[in-house]
Amino acid sequence: MKFGKLLKKFISVTNPEWAHSFLDYKQLKKRIKHLRPMTPEQDGNDNNPGGGGAISAAAAAATNHHPPPPNNAQNNNNNNGSSGILTSTEEREFVMLINEEMKKFNEFFIDKEEEYVIKLKDLDDQLTEWRTSHNDDSTPPQQPTTTTSSDSSQSDSEETLARLRTSFVTMHGELVLLLSWSQLNYQGLVKILKKHDKHSSLTLKNPFLQNALQQPFKSDGVLKQLVDKAEQRFLELSKTCSMVSSNELLALAQPQDPDAECTEDLKRRTEAALTSWQSLTRPGTANADGHNDDDDDDDDD
């Protein structure tokens, strides 16, 4: 499946509410169609040794995180005799748009990551509180209790465990979706920059991807730790209350659980995200590092 269609499908079945945060692949493709390589006579500024400054200045203005160095973008056509980089207004606008997209990625990712750190800590605090209460309840009571109150306490304890378990399942699914969001947007950059370099005398792919790898939206170490932590908590709770087997990480909540419908929807969206990611890593598409260039770059989607 061509990347444009894959991206639209991914958004529609996984994160429609996040549509604004994804790469504007269609708009960038339109910009590429209007690119026209320039000659030294068309751009007098390109005849000086600092001719590449326009590209790097545009990059620096649009993102605050490690802009590409001034001379990283290279001219593919060495027959024009110019030591500078030949840039047109369309090229500069394309560079600005790419950096605006990365800035958008960073802002969205930072906000979401902070939100999930807070949510996971809150769930951890609730679990700690339950464990403390559970240990206290296991101490022999000083006063006799009735069977009814004992049954009620046991029921409340099971409900709390079920609720926490569902919350950790939900958290894990949301974290996986954010991780998929990051990977897919990076792949979009790989695709669009490769397409640009095929239609331009200016090579942007390597410097801009090096830049992208240093951006917050690709710094997913903390996010992966959160994924692992949510998974660990779910497995601990599953083992404690014997509700599911340990390999059912994305299992649905029990039918009587009021969050069952929400959990089912999240499970469906998470599975769709994983399926879409698998489509990207098949032969003929770019792998996780964006090094496979066998895809059709002339698609119109």
Side-chain angles (χ1 to χ4, degrees):
M1 180 183 295
K2 295 179 180 179
F3 185 80
K5 289 183 177 179
L6 178 64
L7 180 60
K8 287 191 287 187
K9 180 180 179 181
F10 184 94
I11 294 173
S12 66
V13 301
T14 61
N15 305 76
E17 67 276 17
W18 290 1
H20 66 284
S21 69
F22 283 90
L23 181 73
D24 193 348
Y25 189 74
K26 187 174 183 179
Q27 179 61 29
L28 287 165
K29 282 186 60 179
K30 288 182 179 178
R31 293 298 182 98
I32 288 174
K33 291 179 180 179
H34 293 91
L35 293 181
R36 40 189 177 82
M38 297 187 70
T39 65
E41 291 75 17
Q42 289 175 305
D43 191 346
N45 292 331
D46 291 320
N47 289 318
N48 62 72
I55 288 295
S56 61
T63 180
N64 296 323
H65 302 279
H66 311 291
N71 294 318
N72 267 15
Q74 300 296 325
N75 185 358
N76 287 335
N77 185 358
N78 296 321
N79 296 324
N80 52 37
S82 173
S83 61
I85 296 177
L86 310 183
T87 60
S88 64
T89 300
E90 290 80 8
E91 288 282 13
R92 289 191 287 270
E93 289 177 349
F94 181 84
V95 168
M96 288 291 291
L97 188 55
I98 285 286
N99 280 282
E100 287 170 2
E101 290 293 287
M102 283 200 284
K103 183 179 179 181
K104 175 181 71 177
F105 298 161
N106 289 338
E107 292 174 350
F108 181 82
F109 182 85
I110 290 171
D111 286 346
K112 278 296 179 182
E113 185 178 63
E114 181 179 359
E115 174 188 335
Y116 291 145
V117 167
I118 293 173
K119 283 184 176 181
L120 193 55
K121 184 181 184 304
D122 181 60
L123 288 176
D124 258 349
D125 290 343
Q126 293 180 49
L127 181 57
T128 299
E129 182 180 351
W130 177 88
R131 283 172 170 165
T132 301
S133 174
H134 180 72
N135 289 335
D136 290 343
D137 290 343
S138 64
T139 303
Q142 299 298 318
Q143 300 295 333
T145 58
T146 64
T147 301
T148 301
S149 63
S150 177
D151 291 344
S152 176
S153 176
Q154 179 67 20
S155 176
D156 290 343
S157 177
E158 291 176 353
E159 289 178 2
T160 299
L161 276 179
R163 178 180 57 78
L164 284 172
R165 171 185 163 275
T166 299
S167 296
F168 279 112
V169 171
T170 301
M171 175 60 64
H172 180 273
E174 292 177 352
L175 291 166
V176 169
L177 288 176
L178 183 59
L179 191 59
S180 298
W181 169 91
S182 171
Q183 294 168 333
L184 192 62
N185 277 318
Y186 179 75
Q187 288 301 313
L189 288 174
V190 172
K191 299 282 187 179
I192 203 66
L193 289 169
K194 178 190 169 188
K195 190 181 294 292
H196 167 277
D197 290 358
K198 273 195 169 185
H199 292 79
S200 172
S201 59
L202 194 66
T203 299
L204 298 180
K205 181 181 175 183
N206 289 340
F208 272 85
L209 291 183
Q210 290 172 9
N211 180 29
L213 289 173
Q214 300 178 65
Q215 300 301 313
F217 84 94
K218 276 298 291 178
S219 302
D220 54 9
V222 172
L223 181 59
K224 289 178 178 178
Q225 290 177 9
L226 296 177
V227 171
D228 291 342
K229 188 173 185 179
E231 178 178 348
Q232 180 183 358
R233 293 293 184 267
F234 170 80
L235 294 177
E236 290 172 358
L237 287 172
S238 297
K239 183 177 180 180
T240 299
C241 57
S242 300
M243 295 177 69
V244 293
S245 59
S246 61
N247 64 344
E248 293 180 291
L249 180 59
L250 296 176
L252 301 180
Q254 296 296 327
Q256 65 270 22
D257 191 330
D259 293 325
E261 184 176 348
C262 176
T263 308
E264 182 177 4
D265 176 67
L266 184 61
K267 176 176 180 288
R268 176 187 60 78
R269 292 192 291 133
T270 305
E271 289 176 340
L274 295 175
T275 299
S276 297
W277 182 245
Q278 289 169 356
S279 298
L280 278 175
T281 57
R282 290 172 187 155
T285 57
N287 59 25
D289 296 322
H291 294 150
N292 188 331
D293 291 331
D294 294 334
D295 59 292
D296 179 7
D297 271 349
D298 295 322
D299 62 278
D300 294 323
D301 301 307

